[in-house]
Amino acid sequence: MKRTSVTLKDVQAVYGGPEADLWELVMGEQIHAGGMMSSLALAKSAGIASGMRGVDLCCCLGAGMRLLAHTYGVRMCGVDATERMVEEARRRTEAAGLSDNLEYRLGDVTDAPVKDGEFDFVWGEDAWCYVVDKDRLIREAARVLKPGGIVAFTDWIEGPRGLSDDEAARINTFMKFPDMQSLDGWAALLEKHGFQVKESVEIDFAVFVDLYMQMLTTQLTSDALRILGNDQALFEAMGAEMEFMRQAAHAGKITRGRFVGVKKG
Ligand SMILES: C[S@@+](CC[C@H](N)C(=O)[O-])C[C@H]1O[C@@H](n2cnc3c(N)ncnc32)[C@H](O)[C@@H]1O
């Protein structure tokens, strides 16, 4: 069984504490692999256009929403379960002068605090791997979309070579993922909840893990240590887990996927 006992509380502890700062240090405020280029590729696949109204499920710091608002003039609502992330997203959005277009709600995306049929698109970037009940998440995505609405997301997934139970347990426990889906797993959940799958493709991953490891060991070491309270042993232990994941990525056992679906009806 590749499921861990990770709960939403464990995930909130990560994003309410120093681990989130560590991820922001290596990835930037868009806490996903590939940053802006990944977001623009997702937006292009999804056909995001001016005037659309969207919801970012697991919006974190809201950086993806600000990018979409700047680039396409969309209006969006962000939902995230970690209070610290929602407060910081509001603060940064205010500073960017985008508070008229973007709003944030604290909540669990498996019971999202938004009305039925409210949105043209649902957005998610490298975050749904953290969600315990992925079936309910996709059901919520379908509920909040208008007919013909689009769900567009990237996610960390099990790769084509597959993970053994032990490998999955080690990576999921380190990352605080309850479990990871696969390309086929996400496509099946989308179909189950009434989406026509337009895209389900593997996208770059290993190259980014290489990049993060290189930055942490050659440029950002003292910044990372400061975030971890100068705990050298913790830094090294986390480094060993990242290295394990890097090797799994190069072996095709863990990767990322991009998914676009259209709500039927
Ligand atoms: C990797 S971050 C998301 C990064 C963001 N999409 C971006 O590209 O910048 C993961 C986020 O998912 C949120 N999260 C995880 N499970 C959640 C749930 N069930 N409901 C709401 N938010 C959740 C966490 O609080 C965290 O802010």
Side-chain angles (χ1 to χ4, degrees), residues 41-42 45-46 190 196-201 258-261:
L42 181 62
S45 286
L190 288 168
Q196 186 184 351
V197 178
K198 291 283 189 191
E199 184 171 51
S200 161
V201 290
R258 186 172 60 229
F259 306 88
V260 175

Side-chain angles (χ1 to χ4, degrees), residues 7-8 11-12 14-16 20 23 27-33 35 39 56-65 79-83 85-86 105-111 123-133 137 154 156 177:
T7 65
L8 177 55
V11 176
Q12 287 165 319
V14 168
Y15 283 92
W23 286 124
M27 294 188 177
E29 71 169 359
Q30 289 202 280
I31 304 188
H32 64 250
S39 302
D56 186 339
L57 298 181
C58 300
C59 63
C60 206
L61 295 165
M65 292 167 55
V79 177
D80 201 281
T82 306
E83 198 163 1
M85 292 293 110
V86 170
R105 297 184 195 167
L106 183 66
D108 183 344
V109 295
T110 62
D111 186 15
W123 186 259
E125 294 182 278
D126 289 17
W128 295 0
C129 40
Y130 285 103
V131 175
V132 177
D133 192 337
L137 164 64
T154 56
W156 292 29
F177 295 160

